[in-house]
Amino acid sequence: MKEGVFLKIQESAENYLEMILMLGLRQPYVRSIDIANELGFSKPSVSVAMKNLRTQGHILVDENGHITLTASGRQIAETIYERHTALSEWLSRLGVDKKTAAEDACRIEHVISAESFAAIKRHIQNTNGISR
């Protein structure tokens, strides 16, 4: 059971880091309220998650409440984001509805091994798909 809980916490952390990255790409700074609004979570829930990510060394929060990714946080976020975008696009190209493809990619991105994802990327590149 502990392993399942660990995986759930890990997936949640990955989702938060990915969201911080995505928000940071489209606005000058990221705050907890931005994350709460985007994900539809309560501000207290997001605050607890941000405290955990800060304690783990994945984010920094300045005196204005602006959140930035550390090197480790950025690496995790970029990995998840790459998986999400590649898997979403690949599933869409296979004929899966875009909304379903994005939802499925969101689940797959957390559990797929690096080896399997690399094989999918090679397949996509070799079949005139996404060049990543």
Side-chain angles (χ1 to χ4, degrees):
M1 185 70 172
K2 276 189 177 186
E3 185 177 351
V5 170
F6 174 74
L7 290 175
K8 186 171 179 58
I9 291 168
Q10 191 73 333
E11 180 177 331
S12 174
E14 289 172 350
N15 283 332
Y16 278 112
L17 294 169
E18 181 184 21
M19 181 53 59
I20 294 165
L21 175 71
M22 292 185 332
L23 287 168
L25 293 173
R26 58 182 208 233
Q27 58 193 55
Y29 54 85
V30 178
R31 300 165 302 154
S32 289
I33 191 67
D34 301 321
I35 298 165
N37 290 339
E38 192 73 24
L39 295 174
F41 295 162
S42 72
K43 176 93 165 66
S45 294
V46 173
S47 293
V48 168
M50 293 306 103
K51 180 180 181 213
N52 290 336
L53 291 172
R54 191 173 62 246
T55 301
Q56 295 167 2
H58 297 309
I59 65 168
L60 299 172
V61 182
D62 72 14
E63 64 278 355
N64 297 313
H66 299 167
I67 301 165
T68 55
L69 296 167
T70 62
S72 67
R74 179 166 292 284
Q75 182 180 10
I76 294 165
E78 288 176 348
T79 297
I80 295 301
Y81 186 69
E82 177 191 26
R83 288 177 177 191
H84 180 86
T85 55
L87 291 167
S88 291
E89 192 167 334
W90 182 55
L91 290 168
S92 291
R93 288 173 184 250
L94 291 174
V96 177
D97 172 77
K98 285 192 181 291
K99 182 175 185 273
T100 302
E103 290 168 356
D104 288 346
C106 195
R107 288 189 288 277
I108 296 167
E109 68 195 24
H110 301 285
V111 296
I112 193 167
S113 69
E115 179 183 1
S116 293
F117 183 67
I120 289 171
K121 278 179 43 176
R122 280 192 306 276
H123 173 75
I124 291 169
Q125 290 166 347
N126 291 336
T127 58
N128 177 22
I130 310 162
S131 59
R132 298 244 186 258

